[in-house]
Amino acid sequence: MTSPKTAHRPLGPSTDASPAKGLRADVAPRRVTGPHRWWDRVLVADPGLGQLQAGWRTFVAMVTSLAVGYGMAHALAIPTMIGMMVAGMMGLMSAFAVAGNSWIQLARPILWMPFPYTAVLWLAAALHDDRALEIGLDAAALALTFLLARFGPLALLTGMMMFNGLMVGIIAKIPMSMMGQAFLVALVSAAAVLATRLLLCHPMPREDLLRTQRAFVVEARRLADTTVEALDPDADLARVERRMNRSLRRLNIVTITIDGRLAQPEAATDPVVAELLHRHLFDAELALRGIGQAVRALADQSPPEPLRQALAVGLLLARDTPPARAGGLRPAVRTIHEQADVILRDPRADPRDAESAALARRVAELLDSLADSLVSWLTLGERTPDTPAAVPFQPAVALENNRIPGSAAPMRRVLTARTRSGWQRAVPFVRAPLHAGVAAAIVCPIADAIDPQRFYWGLVGVMITLFGTNTTHERLRKFGHRMVGTVAGAVVGVLLLHAMGHHHIHWTLLVIVAGLSFGSWGLQRAYALWVAGLVAALVQLYGLTTPDSGMDRLLGERLLDNGLGVLIATACAALIFPLSTRSVVREAEHGYVQAVQSLLTQVSARWEEPDSPVRLRGAARVVDAALFQVAEVSRPLVRMPLGVRGRAPHHRMALLNTAAAHARALAAAADVDIDLSSPLAERARLITHTLTDSLRALDHHLANGTAQGVWRRVGPLVRELRAELRPTAPGPRARRLQSALHELDALDAALAAFAEQCGLPLESGGAREGGRPAAPVRQARASAADRPRAHAPRTATAPAAPIPAGAAGRGAARPDTASEVSVTGSVRCAAHPDGCFAQITVVNARGQRVAHTYTDAGRYRLGLRPGHHIVVVSAPEHSPHAEPVTVGASQAAVRLDIRL
């Protein structure tokens, strides 16, 4: 935590106040800031490569454990299948249940696994003749696993190994005389898995952070590319807006993930550097969001063609400029400013053009801010630790299993709030074990009647249903994934089995390992992918003992047993100490309101006591995390078209999304020292306190279901204060304060509409009139996300030039290429006198991307229509370069050589 004196970004009228000045730009890791690479799409889809690492970890652990099990079985003269089953469980559980950032965190649990596992194997061997007791112990072991989960990861691992030991003991029927050899196999395989994981899968949190930073850079480039497409007058605005919204959502998830990855137990860094890293990342995301919003507004208008072209070129440069060389954006920013100023200074300018120019200036300012934030963010790497396990910053958001926390936190809060006294304090400890125990007691007899040899399939269905789910909707969605994944995996597994046959054991083992590795990779993307990989692997095992004629019946029984386990576990969770999905949603919304309330409290402290140690951006990031939790618990069971599922839930989420966007902007704008007269300072204090009181009333309403107070609108107070501040001398500090007040007004409007939907009465004004509160007013409000877009008629100031085939705009018609002029040339630099590899994009006078190609041995060829164009060249090791070219109708060819 830092105070504004140590961490506040200097304010200045121009980019000369940039904190990036004086910092070396070459210290940013090349793998973060380098040119486009083919694996960038993978990084965006999997920030930090956590999913690929899970698949690789499973592959290494399974190959090692199966190889050791095979060798140990021959060395100890025990059946090969027993040796591989015992050792394989060590590899599987180490890959799924053991994680850590140091060798001690890996060694302790992995080397502990053989002890509870083989102890329960011995118990299973002793109970082979007592069927009822064997089944009862399976149910008890499952309940015990959920009980031990309350006492930390090592206790949970112990319970899982005990449950798995009973399962393997039932399947393999290992005699008691082999328990010593089984323990030795388990111990040696665990040690081997530990060694290979340390050698081939060593945790490197700093590398994970750098890969996540690269994902941010790639997503930012993708957003910039979408904004260029939005400026195309022939673009499909609905499609572009969908792409932009999707990109903004991914960008927000990546930034939250970066903050979470910065929180590692081994981290020990300078708190000032940590805070600045967080601040610059936050500001970069905010600038990108602002650019997207401004371009969407410009897309609804018809800006003059020179202004459109300047914007398109500037955004193309923003897309292709390496972040460490973001200073190269400044010429494009100046060009946009110049074009906008020409319009704004013209007293005869059309009001619509003046509005477009003002928006263009906003885009230029945000590009300037983005350049400063990215350079500062990356150059701070010079002062961060460089050891593999050291990562800077302790953020407000902590990841769970490398993912942003979802419904678990609201569920725990609801459960704790309901069990604070008497015997109910034991409910959080016994609730999940009771669900598991009762469900297992019901499922086991049914599954045993279907197939006595494989009754454990029903138990597996109970276990996977209750692990990682917190609401009935989540469990039912998991049921759907389980069924779909089982069917898909069965089809793939049977096809592979028929293709390979039963007698190629090495190919069988390869398919098993590949299936488990694929499932591990897909587990965090969709549960059905994990199930498909698992079932495809299991089919190969079933093929060793089951004839082809019985495979369909066997897989059908597995599907039935698993489905019964899932449904019965879901029913038990809904009936035993139930927590409704609605109550969890209300608790998530309650957490969101508390996060906004905390942000406003810090805004008030920042203005009243400038030296107070506040973290406004950190508080806004907590709002983002709370919004993610609301979105997770509010997901419908089945996604339906908007008109079918109803508009109320959609409106509530849209209002909270809008409020979160204003909260982010408020956090950045309000971080300024204000110097107001006593009356004005008192009015600012009244605004923040009134809005905080309204949030408390809404918080009480969400937590208790009863209205205690009303929502008092602060809009009139904000507008009065802004009107009184306008005559003061303009300056960056005054502009920031005006922006903060505007965001306060917008935040109040969005949350007031949300409070009204929740049933809290609204008051028309923020102050009392005549000693009495104003009468509550209920009026319909809709956020900007819910209103239909009003598309202005496109009356371009110049006729649109035809676009060559292959241009970016999808809505453009294919032109006649007969009148195209050939443009050829070369791209060279001092380091590559024979020619540079480069990407070339051409923008016409309307801002449309009309051509795109790559150099071949440093040379390129394009076909362009007559007119004025801008050629943007992006080459590795260079900042993008923009070169104007005029193509005349009478010219046969144009030569343009570019020197970088």
Coordinates of all heavy atoms in Angstrom, one line a residue, residues 825-838 855-860 875 878 898-900:
G825 N 7.4 -2.1 -54.2 CA 8.5 -1.5 -53.5 C 9.3 -2.5 -52.6 O 9.0 -3.7 -52.7
S826 N 10.1 -1.9 -51.8 CA 10.9 -2.8 -50.9 C 10.9 -2.2 -49.5 O 10.6 -1.0 -49.3 CB 12.3 -2.9 -51.4 OG 13.0 -1.6 -51.4
V827 N 11.1 -3.0 -48.5 CA 11.2 -2.5 -47.1 C 12.6 -3.0 -46.6 O 12.9 -4.2 -46.6 CB 10.1 -3.2 -46.2 CG1 10.3 -2.7 -44.8 CG2 8.8 -2.8 -46.8
R828 N 13.4 -2.0 -46.2 CA 14.8 -2.3 -45.8 C 15.1 -1.5 -44.5 O 14.4 -0.5 -44.2 CB 15.8 -1.9 -46.9 CG 15.8 -2.8 -48.1 CD 16.9 -2.4 -49.1 NE 17.0 -3.4 -50.1 CZ 16.3 -3.4 -51.3 NH1 15.4 -2.4 -51.4 NH2 16.4 -4.3 -52.2
C829 N 16.1 -2.0 -43.8 CA 16.7 -1.2 -42.6 C 18.2 -1.4 -42.6 O 18.7 -2.2 -43.4 CB 16.0 -1.7 -41.4 SG 16.4 -3.4 -40.9
A830 N 18.8 -0.8 -41.7 CA 20.3 -0.9 -41.6 C 20.7 -2.3 -41.2 O 21.7 -2.8 -41.7 CB 20.8 0.1 -40.5
A831 N 19.9 -3.0 -40.4 CA 20.3 -4.4 -40.0 C 20.0 -5.4 -41.1 O 20.5 -6.5 -41.2 CB 19.6 -4.8 -38.7
H832 N 19.0 -5.0 -42.1 CA 18.7 -6.0 -43.1 C 18.7 -5.2 -44.5 O 17.6 -4.9 -45.0 CB 17.2 -6.5 -42.9 CG 17.1 -7.2 -41.6 ND1 16.7 -6.6 -40.4 CD2 17.3 -8.5 -41.2 CE1 16.7 -7.4 -39.4 NE2 17.1 -8.6 -39.9
P833 N 19.9 -5.0 -45.0 CA 20.0 -4.2 -46.2 C 19.3 -5.0 -47.4 O 19.0 -4.3 -48.4 CB 21.5 -4.0 -46.4 CG 22.1 -5.1 -45.6 CD 21.2 -5.3 -44.4
D834 N 19.2 -6.3 -47.3 CA 18.6 -7.1 -48.4 C 17.1 -7.1 -48.3 O 16.5 -7.7 -49.2 CB 19.2 -8.5 -48.4 CG 20.7 -8.5 -48.7 OD1 21.2 -7.6 -49.4 OD2 21.4 -9.4 -48.2
G835 N 16.5 -6.6 -47.3 CA 15.1 -6.6 -47.1 C 14.6 -7.1 -45.8 O 15.2 -8.0 -45.2
C836 N 13.6 -6.5 -45.3 CA 13.0 -6.9 -44.0 C 11.7 -7.7 -44.2 O 10.9 -7.4 -45.1 CB 12.7 -5.7 -43.1 SG 14.1 -4.8 -42.6
F837 N 11.4 -8.6 -43.3 CA 10.1 -9.2 -43.3 C 9.2 -8.3 -42.6 O 9.5 -7.8 -41.5 CB 10.1 -10.6 -42.5 CG 8.7 -11.2 -42.4 CD1 8.1 -11.8 -43.4 CD2 8.1 -11.0 -41.1 CE1 6.8 -12.3 -43.3 CE2 6.8 -11.6 -41.0 CZ 6.2 -12.2 -42.0
A838 N 8.0 -7.9 -43.2 CA 7.1 -6.9 -42.6 C 5.7 -7.2 -43.0 O 5.4 -7.9 -44.0 CB 7.5 -5.5 -43.1
T855 N 5.8 -8.9 -46.9 CA 6.9 -8.8 -47.8 C 7.4 -10.2 -48.1 O 7.4 -11.1 -47.2 CB 8.0 -7.9 -47.2 OG1 8.4 -8.4 -46.0 CG2 7.5 -6.5 -47.1
D856 N 8.0 -10.4 -49.2 CA 8.7 -11.6 -49.6 C 10.1 -11.2 -50.0 O 10.3 -10.5 -51.0 CB 8.0 -12.3 -50.8 CG 8.6 -13.6 -51.2 OD1 9.5 -14.0 -50.4 OD2 8.3 -14.1 -52.2
A857 N 11.1 -11.6 -49.2 CA 12.5 -11.2 -49.4 C 12.6 -9.7 -49.4 O 13.4 -9.1 -50.2 CB 13.1 -11.8 -50.7
G858 N 11.8 -9.0 -48.6 CA 11.9 -7.6 -48.5 C 11.1 -6.8 -49.5 O 11.0 -5.6 -49.5
R859 N 10.4 -7.5 -50.5 CA 9.7 -6.8 -51.5 C 8.2 -7.1 -51.4 O 7.8 -8.1 -50.8 CB 10.2 -7.3 -52.9 CG 11.6 -7.0 -53.2 CD 12.0 -7.4 -54.6 NE 13.4 -7.1 -54.8 CZ 13.9 -5.9 -55.2 NH1 13.0 -4.9 -55.4 NH2 15.1 -5.6 -55.4
Y860 N 7.4 -6.2 -51.9 CA 5.9 -6.4 -51.8 C 5.3 -5.8 -53.0 O 5.9 -5.1 -53.8 CB 5.4 -5.6 -50.6 CG 5.5 -4.1 -50.7 CD1 4.4 -3.4 -51.2 CD2 6.6 -3.4 -50.3 CE1 4.4 -2.0 -51.3 CE2 6.7 -2.0 -50.5 CZ 5.6 -1.3 -51.0 OH 5.6 0.0 -51.1
A875 N 7.2 -4.2 -38.8 CA 8.3 -5.2 -38.9 C 8.8 -5.5 -37.6 O 8.9 -4.6 -36.7 CB 9.4 -4.6 -39.8
H878 N 11.2 -3.2 -35.1 CA 11.0 -1.8 -35.4 C 9.6 -1.3 -35.0 O 8.7 -2.1 -34.9 CB 11.1 -1.6 -36.9 CG 12.4 -2.0 -37.5 ND1 13.5 -1.2 -37.5 CD2 12.8 -3.1 -38.2 CE1 14.5 -1.7 -38.1 NE2 14.2 -2.9 -38.5
I898 N 10.6 1.8 -48.8 CA 10.4 2.3 -47.4 C 11.7 1.9 -46.7 O 12.1 0.7 -46.7 CB 9.2 1.7 -46.8 CG1 7.9 2.1 -47.5 CG2 9.1 2.1 -45.3 CD1 6.7 1.5 -47.0
R899 N 12.3 2.9 -46.0 CA 13.5 2.7 -45.2 C 13.1 2.8 -43.7 O 12.6 3.8 -43.3 CB 14.5 3.7 -45.5 CG 15.9 3.5 -44.8 CD 16.7 2.4 -45.4 NE 18.0 2.3 -44.8 CZ 18.9 1.4 -45.2 NH1 18.6 0.6 -46.2 NH2 20.1 1.4 -44.6
L900 N 13.3 1.7 -42.9 CA 12.9 1.8 -41.5 C 14.1 2.2 -40.7 O 15.2 2.0 -41.0 CB 12.5 0.4 -41.1 CG 11.3 -0.2 -41.8 CD1 11.0 -1.6 -41.3 CD2 10.0 0.6 -41.6

